[in-house]
């Protein structure tokens, strides 16, 4: 029978998240990860399998932390309120205290070298989730008469995700909360029905 783990898995995942967020998947070395986590490489491999397994655990934790946000966004009674909650909330999350600026899923793997294809694919799928969920919500809004029949729910969802991604990139570049909220407000002015 093996020895019990001598580290707090949840805390280790949080510490690894910070490293991946700041350096990206490929830029985060095992030495940086193990140093931040306060554990040795054999413990990482024993708990997570490899760097990719650790990264997937980090992505799962990140998604758990954002689940309530998307549930709240999608529960808004009108499409306009969905958009307002999504953009204003995204602007706030992009500058969340005690976290790196921007979005882990966006920043950590837009590019990866040979061998990182599975990570890029995983991140691409995870970035599609909000788009799919917004599209479904906008289809419902269209069916209920809350959006004009001629508007394409998928295009609307893609537009919002693109604005969100832009907010995250701007946050990493030093934009202030006020700057991001102004961009969100501008996008709201373009919403159908204004």
């Amino acid at each position: 029978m093996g020895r019990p783990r001598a580290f707090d898995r949840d805390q280790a995942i949080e510490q690894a998240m910070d490293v991946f967020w700041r350096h990206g998947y490929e830029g985060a070395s095992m030495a940086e990860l193990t140093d931040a986590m306060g554990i040795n490489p054999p413990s990482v491999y024993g708990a997570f399998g490899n760097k990719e397994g650790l990264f997937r655990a980090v992505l799962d934790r990140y998604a758990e932390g954002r689940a309530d946000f998307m549930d709240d966004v999608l529960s808004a009674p009108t499409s306009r309120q969905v958009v307002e909650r999504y953009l204003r909330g995204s602007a706030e999350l992009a500058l969340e205290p005690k976290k790196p600026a921007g979005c882990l899923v966006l920043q950590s793997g837009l590019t990866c070298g040979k061998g990182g294809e599975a990570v890029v694919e995983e991140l691409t799928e995870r970035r599609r989730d909000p788009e799919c969920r917004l599209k479904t919500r906008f289809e419902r809004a269209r069916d209920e008469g809350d959006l004009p029949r001629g508007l394409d729910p998928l295009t609307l969802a893609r537009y919002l995700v693109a604005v969100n991604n832009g907010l995250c990139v701007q946050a990493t570049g030093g934009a202030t909360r006020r700057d991001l909220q102004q961009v969100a407000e501008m996008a709201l002015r373009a919403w159908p029905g204004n």
Side-chain angles (χ1 to χ4, degrees):
M1 187 147 97
R3 289 184 296 157
R5 271 192 202 113
F7 66 93
D8 181 327
R9 181 181 169 89
D10 290 335
Q11 183 179 2
I13 290 171
E14 289 293 328
Q15 291 161 329
M17 183 185 303
D18 187 72
V19 175
F20 283 125
W21 204 328
R22 292 181 192 283
H23 301 288
Y25 174 76
E26 202 161 86
S29 70
M30 282 305 289
E32 288 171 313
L33 289 162
T34 55
D35 184 53
M37 295 163 71
I39 59 178
N40 59 33
S43 294
V44 172
Y45 294 120
F48 303 101
N50 57 21
K51 180 180 171 182
E52 187 176 323
L54 173 60
F55 186 58
R56 288 180 193 278
V58 163
L59 291 174
D60 289 343
R61 175 64 51 80
Y62 183 79
E64 289 168 13
R66 298 296 193 261
D68 288 344
F69 168 69
M70 277 308 289
D71 290 345
D72 179 61
V73 164
L74 297 170
S75 71
T78 67
S79 62
R80 163 84 182 181
Q81 289 169 314
V82 166
V83 174
E84 190 168 357
R85 286 182 189 182
Y86 183 67
L87 293 179
R88 289 194 174 144
S90 294
E92 291 299 315
L93 286 174
L95 293 173
E96 189 176 7
K98 298 182 183 177
K99 299 280 186 196
C103 170
L104 171 71
V105 175
L106 182 64
Q107 292 164 218
S108 60
L110 287 176
T111 60
C112 280
K114 189 171 174 86
E117 296 88 353
V119 169
V120 171
E121 187 176 315
E122 172 84 18
L123 290 166
T124 300
E125 282 304 310
R126 288 180 186 253
R127 284 192 301 269
R128 280 190 191 119
D129 181 65
E131 182 181 294
C132 291
R133 294 182 73 191
L134 287 165
K135 173 189 167 272
T136 299
R137 177 63 182 87
F138 294 148
E139 286 171 341
R140 189 179 99 205
R142 184 191 58 200
D143 294 345
E144 293 171 349
D146 181 41
L147 282 173
R149 294 286 288 150
L151 290 176
D152 177 30
L154 178 57
T155 301
L156 291 173
R158 285 181 176 153
Y159 167 73
L160 284 178
V161 170
V163 173
N164 172 65
N165 291 347
L167 291 171
C168 292
V169 170
Q170 288 188 345
T172 63
T176 66
R177 185 166 268 101
R178 183 173 184 266
D179 295 335
L180 299 182
Q181 290 295 347
Q182 287 175 331
V183 171
E185 191 59 40
M186 182 64 69
L188 281 166
R189 287 185 200 146
W191 191 249
N194 284 347

